[in-house]
Amino acid sequence: LVPALRSGKFGGPNLGYLDLNCSDLTDQAVRALARAVGEGLLVQLYLLELSDNGDVTRRAWEEFLQAVRQIEKGFPRLETLGLGRSRAEKAGGPIRVGQSRAEEAGGAIVTALCSGKLPHLKYISPTCMVLDQEGAGVVGDAVRVGSFPRRLRSSPFQFRLHRGPVAINVDGLITAIAESAHGLPSCIGVLDLGGGRMGGRALTLL
């Protein structure tokens, strides 16, 4: 696909719609798309759909989202970005084989959203994301400065904490919400801090 994009046989710079939903993408394919993003081959897209590709790992999604953040001109037209699982169901706990692991990269998704490179984004999936310690910090920073895209119309985001051997400290996130000018943005519908660790000062801010 990337060589074809480079050759202009996929519409060249005028390509506006790319749907690779349920296409058995691999890590290698997603990394190739990341290179295409970095080369500016997809900057005119208004829709990029990559959902239902359950073999792609969290690391590959993070590399793709990093490419989105680093592209100089961003995606000036992109309105829809699909990275979710759509028709698949999620069991409590681990994600089943065949589902997208993009929701595990919640921090990377929020960083891309708030990078200023997706100014016209209206819809994104997944809307349910798992945050590790770094991801919780990213969400806190984004809430503090109010950098969630204003045009975003996706279903309300649901954030929950990764359950691991070490509890995630949510003091910074709670403090950011309390000290921000407008509080939790309306696009966040669920903030599940179950299993997190909270200090006394954060408790007083609730």
Side-chain angles (χ1 to χ4, degrees):
L1 176 59
V2 175
L5 288 168
R6 290 189 183 117
S7 71
K9 293 179 180 179
F10 267 71
N14 297 317
L15 181 68
Y17 184 109
L18 182 59
D19 187 348
L20 297 174
N21 173 59
C22 202
S23 297
D24 293 326
L25 294 182
T26 62
D27 283 6
Q28 182 179 2
V30 170
R31 289 184 174 116
L33 284 171
R35 290 194 295 274
V37 168
E39 293 176 26
L41 300 176
L42 302 174
V43 293
Q44 294 302 315
L45 288 179
Y46 62 86
L47 180 145
L48 177 58
E49 179 56 77
L50 303 174
S51 298
D52 282 314
N53 286 290
D55 291 332
V56 181
T57 64
R58 167 181 173 169
R59 180 59 185 162
W61 286 125
E62 288 177 338
E63 291 177 21
F64 174 80
L65 290 162
Q66 182 178 15
V68 171
R69 297 195 307 270
Q70 291 179 344
I71 184 172
E72 183 178 356
K73 296 182 180 179
F75 283 84
R77 298 180 59 196
L78 194 68
E79 296 183 355
T80 299
L81 177 59
L83 305 173
R85 64 190 187 276
S86 69
R87 293 187 301 273
E89 296 178 356
K90 183 175 180 180
I95 298 174
R96 293 176 179 172
V97 174
Q99 297 181 343
S100 169
R101 293 185 176 91
E103 64 257 38
E104 294 180 322
I109 291 174
V110 173
T111 302
L113 278 177
C114 301
S115 65
K117 300 302 177 68
L118 301 167
H120 295 289
L121 196 70
K122 296 179 180 179
Y123 306 100
I124 186 170
S125 64
T127 56
C128 180
M129 298 178 227
V130 179
L131 302 176
D132 56 13
Q133 187 66 67
E134 181 181 0
V138 168
V139 173
D141 291 343
V143 169
R144 186 185 295 276
V145 302
S147 58
F148 279 85
R150 296 180 180 180
R151 297 171 180 260
L152 204 59
R153 300 176 185 172
S154 298
S155 300
F157 284 114
Q158 300 178 43
F159 291 120
R160 66 178 179 83
L161 300 180
H162 172 72
R163 300 293 185 98
V166 178
I168 293 173
N169 189 314
V170 296
D171 286 4
L173 177 55
I174 295 297
T175 302
I177 295 170
E179 295 180 350
S180 64
H182 303 289
L184 203 65
S186 59
C187 63
I188 299 179
V190 175
L191 185 61
D192 183 353
L193 303 180
R197 178 165 49 88
M198 190 180 305
R201 183 173 182 273
L203 281 170
T204 65
L205 295 173
L206 290 176

